[in-house]
């Protein structure tokens, strides 16, 4: 396992069994799609969108989030948010393969997370921009594998739009641990 991690870090590509690992990602996609449509997830994102928090306030929260590595009361509210139960149930089903999961609202702000993330606002990142796609909903996105500091694992992040009926209201990102798939 150590050599696989070293190879990924050094060359930035998948190890020799990488194709098999990507097939394992395909195998968990039905579970991730169920999570993106979980009623708890949809309700929590819908509720946060309804609050209409100004983007400037979201970005202030983001700056505070990144400036404070400690678990703050605000970070705890994201970890304890109403859709945290859905993330925990998915974590139990996927086990160690799910390094992290988080949902984002219509601005890219976190709604809930399974663990602390490196930042609060994802609205400037492809995982939200391409998946939310201005409310139209983009394709499922699989990013290139990388070492994720927040989960301390080599992961591939998979992002999916979250829909409320036919309307896209947010996005879900799940980091899958390549070593545990």
């Amino acid at each position: 396992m150590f050599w696989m991690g070293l190879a990924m870090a050094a060359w930035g590509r998948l190890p020799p069994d990488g194709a098999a690992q990507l097939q394992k990602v395909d195998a968990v996609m039905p579970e991730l799609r169920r999570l993106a449509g979980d009623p708890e997830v949809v309700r929590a994102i819908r509720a946060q969108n309804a609050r209409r928090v100004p983007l400037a306030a979201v970005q202030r929260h983001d700056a505070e989030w990144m400036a404070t590595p400690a678990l703050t009361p605000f970070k705890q509210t994201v970890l304890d948010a109403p859709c945290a139960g859905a993330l925990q149930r998915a974590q139990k089903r996927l086990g160690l393969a799910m390094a992290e999961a988080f949902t984002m609202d219509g601005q890219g702000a976190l709604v809930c997370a399974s663990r602390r993330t490196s930042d609060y606002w994802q609205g400037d990142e492809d995982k939200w921009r391409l998946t939310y796609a201005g409310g139209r909903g983009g394709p499922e996105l699989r990013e290139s594998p990388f070492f994720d500091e927040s989960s301390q694992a080599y992961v591939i992040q998979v992002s999916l739009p979250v829909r409320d009926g036919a309307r896209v209201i947010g996005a879900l990102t799940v980091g899958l641990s390549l070593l545990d798939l």
Side-chain angles (χ1 to χ4, degrees):
M1 294 294 180
F2 169 77
W3 293 110
M4 186 173 101
L6 185 60
M8 288 178 70
W11 297 296
R13 56 186 180 160
L14 288 173
D17 67 341
Q21 288 175 307
L22 293 180
Q23 287 176 341
K24 291 177 183 179
V25 171
D26 290 340
V28 300
M29 289 306 296
E31 177 67 32
L32 302 186
R33 290 181 189 113
R34 276 192 296 279
L35 181 57
D38 186 286
E40 277 183 47
V41 169
V42 172
R43 274 192 305 274
I45 294 174
R46 186 186 318 133
Q48 185 157 310
N49 284 341
R51 288 194 283 277
R52 301 191 192 289
V53 176
L55 184 57
V58 169
Q59 291 171 330
R60 272 193 310 278
H61 283 304
D62 186 52
E64 292 166 8
W65 186 288
M66 290 186 296
T68 310
L71 181 62
T72 64
F74 181 69
K75 289 178 184 179
Q76 191 65 54
T77 63
V78 172
L79 296 174
D80 295 339
C83 60
L87 300 183
Q88 290 166 357
R89 286 189 300 279
Q91 179 93 54
K92 284 181 184 171
R93 288 188 296 271
L94 292 171
L96 295 175
M98 189 172 121
E100 69 175 338
F102 51 91
T103 61
M104 300 154 279
D105 67 11
Q107 296 186 91
L110 289 180
V111 176
C112 68
S114 63
R115 64 181 327 136
R116 282 185 278 179
T117 59
S118 54
D119 58 346
Y120 172 71
W121 184 55
Q122 311 294 315
D124 58 343
E125 298 180 32
D126 284 347
K127 66 179 59 85
W128 179 82
R129 287 185 319 102
L130 299 176
T131 305
Y132 182 72
R136 296 179 311 282
E140 295 171 351
L141 175 68
R142 294 181 192 193
E143 296 185 22
S144 297
F146 66 99
F147 185 77
D148 180 43
E149 290 293 331
S150 64
S151 64
Q152 291 293 296
Y154 284 97
V155 300
I156 183 167
Q157 285 190 332
V158 179
S159 298
L160 305 92
V162 174
R163 290 175 165 57
D164 184 4
R167 202 171 102 237
V168 175
I169 60 170
L172 163 74
T173 294
V174 177
L176 297 170
S177 171
L178 291 175
L179 300 177
D180 297 303
L181 275 173

